[in-house]
Amino acid sequence: MCNEYQLRVRRGDYDWQFSELNVPINWADAEPNRPLDRPFKPTNRATMIRAVDPADPMAGVEGLEARWWLVPFFHKGPLSAWKAMCTNARLETVDTTAAFREPYKRRRALIPFSSFIEYDEPPGWKKGEPKRRWEISWAPAHERDRVRFFAGLWDTAHPADHDGPLTSFTFVTGPPGPLFSTPQADTGKPLHSRQTRVLTLQQGMDWLKLDGGGKALLEDPEPHGDFVLKPRPRELEATD
């Protein structure tokens, strides 16, 4: 499970990558004036990229800000009444779970990021004490590799207490790869039992193809095998 991530670049630092693949990108809204060191957390608005025509993603994509924590189209009550934890979608059941099966079939997305955060319990940890905070990133192979993408899903709901439609997203997690499943040297425990699915842009365009490989594209938790784990204490992050 991933419930915190970073995007430490502006839109203009990576949107040109789409043109290199001959994919037009249009931004549907203005970029927020947000500190680059402020992490994204559930219910925050964050950047989401989707196909203009889901039947032909290569014809063009649209970027916009949307709510992280998917609220499905069938929810009609107040926003606060949707209690299901839909920040992540399980790879194993993404095509059968009620909240995700229609977005999986029709509404896939890419969520750009530059690192993500996981927590574990340090040696001697006691309940109530802060957990250890880890940042997972990679050494970019080239300039186009500074940003990668979560395999996401989106939906639009009309909650009773929301002014207009609410577009929201989630992204897919699955069984862990070696980085997450190998016991830590100092604790003897793995970092986490789940791992978010990370794609390059080329892989991401394949994910957006509704008639493509779908969830089979996400079976490998570490397709590049080059994730880097380092401590990232909370005090290093922007808070305003």
Side-chain angles (χ1 to χ4, degrees):
M1 175 178 284
C2 172
N3 280 322
E4 192 174 345
Y5 70 92
Q6 303 271 16
L7 180 60
R8 293 200 182 94
V9 298
R10 298 295 182 191
R11 290 176 176 179
D13 294 327
Y14 64 88
D15 63 359
W16 55 270
Q17 297 180 32
F18 289 86
S19 63
E20 287 202 333
L21 296 181
N22 295 316
V23 177
I25 181 169
N26 173 64
W27 292 101
D29 52 17
E31 183 170 21
N33 185 18
R34 179 189 177 95
L36 292 180
D37 270 336
R38 181 190 295 170
F40 290 96
K41 298 180 181 180
T43 75
N44 287 169
R45 289 175 63 79
T47 301
M48 177 187 87
I49 296 170
R50 61 189 178 186
V52 174
D53 177 2
D56 185 13
M58 294 300 291
V61 296
E62 175 186 58
L64 68 156
E65 299 296 298
R67 180 187 194 259
W68 178 22
W69 189 323
L70 188 141
V71 180
F73 71 93
F74 56 77
H75 178 69
K76 308 299 183 184
L79 181 57
S80 60
W82 181 253
K83 302 294 187 182
M85 188 69 169
C86 291
T87 56
N88 299 156
R90 292 178 67 88
L91 175 62
E92 299 89 331
T93 57
V94 69
D95 53 347
T96 57
T97 301
F100 303 136
R101 62 192 177 206
E102 284 302 309
Y104 174 74
K105 291 177 184 177
R106 308 174 192 278
R107 295 183 286 277
R108 298 183 194 166
L110 301 177
I111 314 302
F113 75 99
S114 55
S115 66
F116 61 98
I117 302 295
E118 294 291 357
Y119 291 81
D120 74 348
E121 301 168 0
W125 181 85
K126 294 182 175 61
K127 188 175 181 179
E129 294 179 344
K131 292 188 177 183
R132 188 163 48 180
R133 188 171 184 270
W134 296 100
E135 181 176 35
I136 296 93
S137 59
W138 59 91
H142 41 69
E143 184 64 18
R144 295 185 302 280
D145 198 32
R146 294 175 61 200
V147 171
R148 292 185 186 175
F149 301 86
F150 295 131
L153 309 170
W154 67 274
D155 210 342
T156 298
H158 294 80
D161 58 350
H162 194 268
D163 184 17
L166 174 67
T167 298
S168 57
F169 69 84
T170 185
F171 45 79
V172 181
T173 67
L179 176 68
F180 278 46
S181 60
T182 301
Q184 299 277 74
D186 57 353
T187 66
K189 299 178 181 178
L191 180 63
H192 209 287
S193 60
R194 307 290 295 173
Q195 187 170 339
T196 189
R197 285 337 195 221
V198 173
L199 306 171
T200 64
L201 180 54
Q202 181 65 68
Q203 293 168 331
M205 296 307 299
D206 291 339
W207 165 249
L208 293 181
K209 295 176 182 176
L210 300 182
D211 60 351
K215 60 188 289 185
L217 299 171
L218 310 181
E219 291 295 335
D220 184 354
E222 298 179 12
H224 296 278
D226 58 353
F227 286 127
V228 176
L229 185 72
K230 64 180 180 182
R232 181 75 182 183
R234 172 68 61 193
E235 55 266 25
L236 296 180
E237 311 295 3
T239 57
D240 53 14

